[in-house]
Amino acid sequence: MEKLIRQENYLTLTLWVVFFCYATCMALIFQNVIVPHMPSSLSDGGKLLSHDAIYFDSVAWSLAEEIRSQGWGSWRLFVNPAATGNVAILAAIYAVFGYDPSFSIPINASFHAFGGVLIFLLARELASKKIIGIYAGVIAGTLFILFPSALNWYGQIHKDGYAIAGTLLILLMWIKVINRPNDNLTWIKMTLGSIVGVCFVGMVRPYSLILLLVVAVGAMIIIISTFKKNEAKNVYKQ
């Protein structure tokens, strides 16, 4: 562990790989072993739970068949108001590889693992001491990954993994802004990170962008006010 602490980038990558492998294995077990043996009121008898997952799967397969018959010009990010980016991505996978709900697992596991890594980075950013932040981040990120209820979004076909990862990424960028980085490269990275986070959220839940805008404006006002107060105090002390 101490060696990984000295190599933080390696630790971050290692966490993502471990989280991804765990999520992939658990999702495969969930879809292929647990769900098929659930009552008919909860499952379709296959790999998916009733309601949203089955609906998203059917829309994705319909779009995949449309792509196969009419070409890739038929592909669209927002299939309908209820079926958004996650369905469109799954449809593209179905069009290339054929039909199997398990094809959604690598993508869902990737976003779930990314969410765990972002929680690790948030803890490291917020901690007063680096070593405490690293240990707290590893624990918090691991708990997020292991929590059983998370299987419902990364073991099925849902939007949550995209939205959670996007929201956490935006939050991480905002926290970095509060620390007021001095170099332009860091500001560019934070801007790009925020844009990616907004895209993740917007592609599955575009209505959430309004709430994010309100929160962003509020956070900006608070940050600017805090900066001005601190500058005024510094001027007064001088």
Side-chain angles (χ1 to χ4, degrees), residues 183-202:
D183 58 299
N184 292 330
L185 180 60
T186 303
W187 280 103
I188 292 174
K189 288 180 178 179
M190 289 189 301
T191 302
L192 292 176
S194 299
I195 293 172
V196 171
V198 168
C199 288
F200 284 164
V201 175

Side-chain angles (χ1 to χ4, degrees), residues 12 14 17 66 75 83 95 102 123 137 161 190 199 203 221:
T12 303
T14 301
V17 172
E66 190 177 335
W75 185 88
S102 292
M190 289 189 301
C199 288
M203 68 184 291
I221 292 172

Side-chain angles (χ1 to χ4, degrees), residues 152-175:
N152 189 48
W153 69 68
Y154 71 82
Q156 293 289 291
I157 301 172
H158 286 293
K159 308 174 181 180
D160 304 77
Y162 297 79
I164 290 171
T167 302
L168 290 173
L169 181 58
I170 293 169
L171 181 59
L172 178 62
M173 296 302 104
W174 286 354
I175 290 174

Side-chain angles (χ1 to χ4, degrees), residues 124-174:
R124 192 181 66 178
E125 198 74 28
L126 291 170
S128 56
K129 293 184 179 180
K130 191 175 186 180
I131 186 67
I132 295 176
I134 290 175
Y135 277 106
V138 170
I139 293 171
T142 302
L143 290 175
F144 171 78
I145 295 296
L146 296 179
F147 209 65
S149 63
L151 264 171
N152 189 48
W153 69 68
Y154 71 82
Q156 293 289 291
I157 301 172
H158 286 293
K159 308 174 181 180
D160 304 77
Y162 297 79
I164 290 171
T167 302
L168 290 173
L169 181 58
I170 293 169
L171 181 59
L172 178 62
M173 296 302 104
W174 286 354

Side-chain angles (χ1 to χ4, degrees), residues 35-36 38-50 54 57 99:
V35 174
M38 286 185 169
S40 58
S41 59
L42 298 175
S43 169
D44 65 347
K47 299 181 179 183
L48 301 175
L49 296 174
S50 301
I54 293 177
D57 178 67
Y99 176 76

Side-chain angles (χ1 to χ4, degrees), residues 15-71:
L15 284 174
W16 186 89
V17 172
V18 172
F19 291 165
F20 173 79
C21 291
Y22 170 82
T24 300
C25 292
M26 289 301 297
L28 285 171
I29 294 171
F30 187 61
Q31 278 196 13
N32 295 280
V33 179
I34 299 175
V35 174
H37 293 90
M38 286 185 169
S40 58
S41 59
L42 298 175
S43 169
D44 65 347
K47 299 181 179 183
L48 301 175
L49 296 174
S50 301
H51 306 302
D52 286 351
I54 293 177
Y55 171 71
F56 291 149
D57 178 67
S58 64
V59 175
W61 180 238
S62 296
L63 179 58
E65 290 183 317
E66 190 177 335
I67 292 170
R68 286 182 166 186
S69 62
Q70 301 178 19

